[in-house]
Amino acid sequence: MQYADADDAADIKTGEIKLHGPGDFDGMRKAGRLAAECLDMIAAHVQPGVTTGRLDDLIREFVLDAGALSATIGYRGYRHASCISLNHVICHGIPSDKVLKNGDIMNIDVTVIVDGWHGDTSRMYWAGEPKVKARRLIDTTYEALVKGIESAKPGHTLRDIGRAIQTHAEGQGFSVVRDFCGHGLGRVFHDAPNVVHYAEYVEKIGFNNEIIHRAPEIELKPGMFFTIEPMINEGKPEVKLLKDGWTAVSRDKSLSAQFEHSIGLTETGVEIFTKSPAGLDRPPYAV
Ligand code: MF3
Ligand code: CO
Ligand code: CO
């Protein structure tokens, strides 16, 4: 019931967790590599004076020139090849004519489709010189992703991944966004399971009530494909959705950072499909 052989499953979100075979790993390797190359390509273009819309144009052209598709163009009415989330934007920032200025930090998130397989990855970038606290947030977020990936292995559960991320981020005085999570992917963009980036948190309701949210103890099995994509806020974790229906910002307007990899579970650990071929997995990018 909970897991399905991907060969037997329909290419839609059914709620079952698909377990993939060796040929599927090949498909994800290609898709993940192209998405990562796209993020490598964009690094040299992130400069003060450039618009986020221009960066998106470069990304769209790169993906189409490679003979691939952008998974986000046309996705639930979204019209761009990337999400570019500046400063206090947590995720799903819409590329626009906004001009980057010195010290801006941003997440650039790209999802491509190659031969039907999805490669989904994002990294942080900065224009000019970032502030020290922004850099510390970015470093912590990257480290949290790495610790999450290190916890992803057969025998562990999704909650172990969330715990590793939450412990690291909160240990540095930052908070984990709860309203967005990682996801299964493969031939489907957003599939089961949800990959939350916490183990547990308490939500206060009214004066006297609380709800305890616990990440599920779903067992990790070889052949699972999913993303880990922690969003870490400098201040409080609460999110506000802007009127455009996409842009999610931190309610307290504090800075937010995110990194994302698409991974596949092997018998012993993970394969990261979206590692940077150029070694540009985290800033500073010497380009
Ligand atoms: N790439 C995002 C993710 O990590 C999803 C973007 S959907 C969009 O899941 F429509 F906003 F582009
Ligand atoms: Co994703
Ligand atoms: Co993404």
Side-chain angles (χ1 to χ4, degrees):
M1 168 70 200
Q2 196 167 30
Y3 302 88
D5 185 330
D7 287 343
D8 306 333
D11 290 339
I12 52 165
K13 182 167 182 173
T14 60
E16 290 177 310
I17 297 169
K18 298 179 180 77
L19 301 180
H20 300 84
D24 303 342
F25 276 78
D26 286 338
M28 287 300 284
R29 240 167 245 147
K30 279 197 205 159
R33 183 181 174 95
L34 182 68
E37 285 170 344
C38 189
L39 293 185
D40 288 349
M41 175 279 297
I42 208 66
H45 297 279
V46 177
Q47 301 284 353
V50 176
T51 67
T52 57
R54 169 76 184 142
L55 297 176
D56 186 67
D57 288 341
L58 290 166
I59 289 168
R60 187 187 58 251
E61 284 160 18
F62 184 89
V63 172
L64 298 181
D65 285 352
L69 296 172
S70 161
T72 56
I73 297 175
Y75 178 79
R76 297 177 179 224
Y78 195 78
R79 304 167 64 84
H80 305 273
S82 62
C83 297
I84 303 185
S85 303
L86 272 176
N87 299 325
H88 72 298
V89 179
I90 294 170
C91 63
H92 304 159
I94 301 174
S96 71
D97 54 12
K98 194 174 178 79
V99 178
L100 298 182
K101 52 184 192 334
N102 184 46
D104 280 345
I105 66 165
M106 75 216 73
N107 175 273
I108 304 183
D109 189 340
V110 172
T111 310
V112 302
I113 308 175
V114 178
D115 301 334
W117 296 98
H118 290 76
D120 184 6
T121 183
S122 77
R123 298 177 203 155
M124 292 303 292
Y125 298 80
W126 54 63
E129 267 311 309
K131 296 219 168 71
V132 170
K133 64 175 185 179
R135 230 181 131 139
R136 200 169 72 80
L137 175 68
I138 290 169
D139 286 342
T140 301
T141 305
Y142 183 78
E143 291 155 8
L145 171 60
V146 169
K147 286 175 189 293
I149 293 172
E150 285 169 355
S151 313
K153 55 180 111 178
H156 282 197
T157 72
L158 282 178
R159 195 184 293 172
D160 295 316
I161 297 176
R163 183 181 302 104
I165 293 167
Q166 180 176 27
T167 301
H168 188 64
E170 292 182 356
Q172 296 299 313
F174 300 133
S175 68
V176 177
V177 171
R178 294 90 150 87
D179 298 63
F180 298 96
C181 53
H183 49 91
L185 87 171
R187 300 189 77 81
V188 179
F189 186 1
H190 289 119
D191 207 344
N194 285 337
V195 179
V196 303
H197 304 109
Y198 56 81
E200 185 175 306
Y201 73 95
V202 180
E203 184 187 3
K204 305 273 179 208
I205 305 271
F207 292 112
N208 233 335
N209 291 307
E210 53 185 44
I211 305 175
I212 302 175
H213 297 264
R214 277 195 191 91
E217 286 187 294
I218 292 175
E219 198 191 319
L220 299 173
K221 295 190 189 249
M224 284 173 70
F225 294 166
F226 56 88
T227 71
I228 304 180
E229 47 182 301
M231 285 143 273
I232 307 299
N233 289 355
E234 196 192 356
K236 297 207 170 79
E238 279 75 25
V239 172
K240 186 171 100 181
L241 191 66
L242 299 190
K243 292 202 178 64
D244 59 29
W246 286 103
T247 312
V249 302
S250 61
R251 209 165 252 287
D252 64 6
K253 295 201 171 65
S254 67
L255 287 179
S256 186
Q258 178 180 29
F259 286 86
E260 174 176 26
H261 273 312
S262 297
I263 67 174
L265 266 277
T266 64
E267 296 293 332
T268 51
V270 286
E271 176 169 345
I272 302 173
F273 297 126
T274 46
K275 263 197 94 53
S276 165
L280 307 178
D281 283 298
R282 66 187 296 186
Y285 305 118
V287 288

